[in-house]
Amino acid sequence: MSQAEIGLIGLGVMGSNLALNIAEKGNKIAVFNRTVDATRKFYAEAGALKEQIVPCETIEDFVAAIRPPRPIIIMIKAGDPVDQQMEALKPHLAKGDIMIDAGNANFRDTMRRFDALRDSGLTFIGMGVSGGEEGARHGPSIMVGGTEESYARVEKVLTSIAAKYESDPCVAWLGENGAGHFVKTIHNGIEYADMQMIAEIYGILRDGLKMTAEEIGEVFGAWNRGRLNSYLIEITEKVLKAADPLTGKPIVDMILDKAGQKGTGKWSVIEAQNMGVPATAIEAAVAARSISSMKEEREAAEKTLGLPPAGEFYVADRGAFIRDLENALLAAKIGAYAQGFAVMSAASKEFNWNLPMPTIAKIWRAGCIIRSQFLDEITTAFTKAPDAANLIVTPAFAAMVKETDAALRRVVSAAVLGGLPVPALASALGYFDSYRRGSGTANVIQAQRDFFGAHGFDRIDGADSHHGPWGRGLTA
């Protein structure tokens, strides 16, 4: 019997779906799960794909079933379980074998694992997989970090299972060690911001314009046929139009307003701060999810403080304001993507990855959660200007910001005056206003720092900051 081309450990929903995708694309795959019953159940339900699957009940049989050098995907809970599984595997592996973590790992764990195997003869790939359960089964966006040699061993399989955008596979090798998982982390950070901005627009339509879920769904449906065309806008229309089978009411009105998070959004904010790169829209989105989880505190605070003493939410021209909302969302999305790509650019320099920005945008065009028409334009912008300091200063996106930021300003102003929270939209506006201003206010901050801590400062005239009328030892 011929050996499998690749192996997979972990037959949960994501692992099972990825294994079926691999088998369906004509690749023989060996599978193993810690519990034998899960392996047997998976194989029993594989149907016509059984011929491409080698179910294994011991780790020894599993390793022996894979063609050397053996690529083994580990699809289990992130963190310590991955380390434990790697330790269990290592005694059975040979030189050149590749362990692949395809979970939502912290890229720093990936770098640690990569370095730990450096002189062992084994190697490691950190592989970001986006698209959720559906993507794993039918075609995800795949972000690979590791050696080029190890990627060459799995490239054929990964290319076959990846999502396709106009026949281009949405998979790429992005750099050494943690590059793939870092890019996936920032993808998720942008996803947080995108989802939060959509929710804020929904809030304005619901609480400001007093529209029903069905009516708001129609608005998002119309936007999905224009420049905002994307997976998230598409599913927003669907969830807003869906009815609760128990009550017949809109399902969204029956869902508690507490949003969960798995940690990747928080990681993206932490790494942005570590590198000194502002990612305010992502930060606002992560914070908004945290506040949403404080349901009981929010209800108690409303009783104590009341809602903001805002005036009536007034819009003179409803149609024009809805067009403003569309342009405001586009502008804010540009801010979030610009911040995400700026963080990746800084990380690329810090970790010597040489991340290919046009390629990242290309592999996000299908399969992943943030896939959108918009990413085609980002691909083009970075292809034309790969060394641009920021996405918003590329010619195409500078023009878009100039076209849409007035609408964002009107929407944020109306929301604030109406007492409606729009932290992510407001943060995007603040980012634009700060980034585009050549003369800011940090001179006061630096003067304060020098006053109480003797930090020194740069003068606008280039003179020595320690000479002239400014003297230390002054008292307030």
Side-chain angles (χ1 to χ4, degrees), residues 4 20 44 56 66 72 156 229 233 283 337 393 410 424 431 454 476:
L20 291 172
C56 303
I66 307 165
I72 297 172
K156 180 174 175 288
N229 173 259
I233 295 291
E283 291 167 14
Y337 278 79
V393 298
R410 288 190 292 269
Y431 178 75

Side-chain angles (χ1 to χ4, degrees), residues 100-364:
I100 305 168
D101 181 3
N104 266 338
N106 187 311
F107 87 102
R108 292 188 180 275
D109 285 340
T110 302
M111 294 179 76
R112 170 178 58 79
R113 291 164 183 148
F114 185 89
D115 287 343
L117 293 175
R118 191 178 296 277
D119 298 320
S120 69
L122 306 176
T123 191
F124 189 75
I125 284 177
M127 187 169 84
V129 178
S130 179
E133 298 170 13
E134 191 72 12
R137 179 64 184 87
H138 299 292
S141 172
I142 304 174
M143 295 144 266
V144 180
T147 65
E148 280 194 89
E149 292 78 14
S150 61
Y151 177 62
R153 172 65 179 86
V154 295
E155 184 176 8
K156 180 174 175 288
V157 172
L158 297 184
T159 300
S160 73
I161 68 168
K164 305 297 187 294
Y165 181 85
E166 296 179 355
S167 77
D168 289 338
C170 294
V171 56
W173 174 75
L174 300 176
E176 293 268 322
N177 50 57
H181 274 146
F182 185 87
V183 171
K184 175 60 164 58
T185 294
I186 301 305
H187 164 284
N188 286 20
I190 295 171
E191 178 187 317
Y192 272 55
D194 205 342
M195 293 172 74
Q196 177 63 28
M197 290 166 178
I198 289 170
E200 291 172 14
I201 295 290
Y202 158 76
I204 294 171
L205 291 166
R206 182 192 67 183
D207 300 327
L209 298 187
K210 308 299 182 187
M211 294 172 67
T212 66
E214 176 75 20
E215 290 169 336
I216 301 170
E218 290 293 337
V219 171
F220 277 96
W223 291 349
N224 196 45
R225 294 188 288 275
R227 289 198 296 178
L228 287 173
N229 173 259
S230 68
Y231 174 70
L232 284 171
I233 295 291
E234 176 190 337
I235 66 168
T236 301
E237 176 192 7
K238 290 179 179 178
V239 299
L240 288 168
K241 289 183 175 181
D244 175 28
L246 297 179
T247 65
K249 296 178 181 179
I251 188 69
V252 72
D253 292 344
M254 305 304 296
I255 298 173
L256 197 63
D257 61 325
K258 293 172 67 172
Q261 53 182 313
K262 296 181 179 178
T264 47
K266 179 177 67 176
W267 294 342
S268 63
V269 170
I270 291 169
E271 295 306 330
Q273 292 287 356
N274 283 340
M275 286 179 280
V277 179
T280 56
I282 300 171
E283 291 167 14
V286 172
R289 286 207 193 183
S290 297
I291 291 174
S292 81
S293 70
M294 301 159 60
K295 178 71 171 175
E296 293 76 17
E297 285 187 54
R298 289 189 288 119
E299 290 174 336
E302 183 175 338
K303 290 177 183 176
T304 302
L305 301 172
L307 292 174
E312 185 72 21
F313 191 91
Y314 175 73
V315 172
D317 185 332
R318 188 185 181 95
F321 186 70
I322 289 176
R323 287 191 292 276
D324 266 356
L325 290 172
E326 180 180 14
N327 284 323
L329 184 53
L330 178 60
K333 278 167 63 79
I334 291 171
Y337 278 79
Q339 292 170 16
F341 275 90
V343 175
M344 289 190 290
S345 178
S348 183
K349 295 183 181 77
E350 181 156 332
F351 299 109
N352 298 311
W353 285 331
N354 195 26
L355 293 177
M357 299 303 164
T359 299
I360 292 169
K362 284 175 74 172
I363 65 174
W364 285 354

Side-chain angles (χ1 to χ4, degrees), residues 21-63:
N21 186 3
I22 291 169
E24 188 175 63
K25 300 306 188 297
N27 307 290
K28 197 157 195 174
I29 179 170
V31 297
F32 174 80
N33 198 78
R34 182 173 53 86
T35 54
V36 172
D37 287 347
T39 305
R40 292 173 180 171
K41 183 175 184 290
F42 170 77
Y43 186 67
E45 295 174 354
L49 296 176
K50 283 183 178 180
E51 293 181 4
Q52 294 294 116
I53 297 169
V54 183
C56 303
E57 298 190 0
T58 68
I59 202 77
E60 293 85 358
D61 288 347
F62 170 73
V63 171

Side-chain angles (χ1 to χ4, degrees), residues 358 375-388 391 394-397:
L375 282 157
D376 236 359
E377 296 170 282
I378 295 178
T379 300
T380 302
F382 278 127
T383 299
K384 290 181 178 177
D387 299 320
L391 179 66
T394 62
F397 280 87

